[in-house]
Amino acid sequence: MSTTKDPWVARDLARVAVFAALIAALGLMGPIPVPGLVPITAQTLGVMLAGTVLGWKRGAAAVGIVLILVAIGLPVLAGGGGGFGSFFGATGGYLIGWLFGAAVAGAIAHSGPLSWWRVGLGALIGGIPAIYAFGLPVQSLVAGQPLGVSALQSVVFLPGDAVKVVVATFLTIVLARAYPPALPATVRAKRSVPAPGAA
């Protein structure tokens, strides 16, 4: 994570609020059925985007707001879930993982000038292993089963996660080109987004 001075301005607070609202709104969609696969929930896409668009600090802040809303009981999780008890259920670890996932995605995506490979790598690492690292142990503990069993059960979600990585990468790069003010000034200060396939 960069040690470069990174002051927040009013627009940054607005960006954080917008992405917190986006993550919450994606929860309202409910699971998306995929023929032959486990249904995909869209909220982790919002977590990936928060990191890849806003960077690690602002992305984590956006997720933090969502977690606060969950804790106070607002139904902002997929399927209308919410409440402090959500953090103690089988999916509680994944919620905490969102916070770290957004931070990891942002740290990697913004480690240099925005590029397809940096954003894709950030979305991949932050959106899958960073979240599962917190989610699987809690799932295993709550379910009373070995960690390996929980990991095997989660394999069916990986195709959906891969789709979200691709979508997050595409949307981040398109947004950076079409509407640069959506990104923090520290990112816009770097050189332009390169063409697809370039470093």
Side-chain angles (χ1 to χ4, degrees), residues 6-7 9 11-12 14-16 19 49-55 58 106 109-110 112-115 119 168-193:
D6 185 15
V9 296
R11 283 190 176 183
D12 288 314
R15 293 182 184 102
V16 167
F19 274 84
L49 283 169
T52 57
V53 173
L54 300 182
R58 296 164 182 83
H110 293 207
L114 278 189
S115 64
V119 174
T169 302
F170 175 77
L171 291 178
T172 299
I173 296 299
V174 168
L175 184 62
R177 290 179 172 182
Y179 187 64
L183 283 74
T186 51
V187 178
R188 300 197 310 273
K190 299 172 183 178
R191 68 179 175 85
S192 302
V193 178

Side-chain angles (χ1 to χ4, degrees), residues 28-138:
L28 299 176
M29 292 175 57
I32 303 169
V34 179
L37 297 175
V38 172
I40 300 172
T41 56
Q43 282 189 296
T44 48
L45 171 60
V47 171
M48 293 178 195
L49 283 169
T52 57
V53 173
L54 300 182
W56 80 268
K57 294 179 190 175
R58 296 164 182 83
V63 173
I65 290 174
V66 174
L67 297 184
I68 290 172
L69 296 178
V70 170
I72 63 176
L74 294 183
V76 296
L77 297 178
F84 197 67
S86 300
F87 294 96
F88 298 96
T91 59
Y94 293 99
L95 296 179
I96 301 303
W98 286 2
L99 192 66
F100 290 90
V104 170
I108 296 174
H110 293 207
S111 61
L114 278 189
S115 64
W116 288 91
W117 73 265
R118 279 195 189 90
V119 174
L121 184 63
L124 176 66
I125 303 298
I128 302 178
I131 294 176
Y132 279 71
F134 290 88
L136 287 176
V138 174

